[in-house]
Amino acid sequence: MFLAPLVPALLVVVVGYVAGYGATTLVDHALGGALGPRTPEVVGWLTGLVLLVGVLWWLLRRRRRADRHQK
């Protein structure tokens, strides 16, 4: 069951990807396609990775605070 912890991480990346891709597509259509065809894809992956880093950072901070309160 090595891959089990990766499922939530993949879900976070996919949610970020969908949000970034969707927002960039809306902006691209509003600008008349000025951003190019690959821009939503790149922005989507970057948004997913940034969201994953943010969630990991938040979880680590939460764990550290819990450890400090137990001592």
Side-chain angles (χ1 to χ4, degrees):
M1 283 306 191
F2 170 73
L3 297 177
L6 298 178
V7 173
L10 180 61
L11 183 61
V12 168
V13 171
V14 168
V15 167
Y17 173 84
V18 169
Y21 189 93
T24 306
T25 302
L26 289 174
V27 170
D28 189 39
H29 285 300
L31 295 175
L35 297 178
R38 292 194 46 145
T39 304
E41 180 94 17
V42 173
V43 172
W45 284 116
L46 290 175
T47 305
L49 293 176
V50 166
L51 184 62
L52 178 63
V53 168
V55 167
L56 289 175
W57 177 76
W58 176 75
L59 287 172
L60 287 173
R61 282 191 55 167
R62 189 173 150 201
R63 180 182 237 179
R64 287 181 190 156
R65 285 183 184 179
D67 287 345
R68 268 191 268 156
H69 284 93
Q70 288 179 356
K71 291 182 180 180

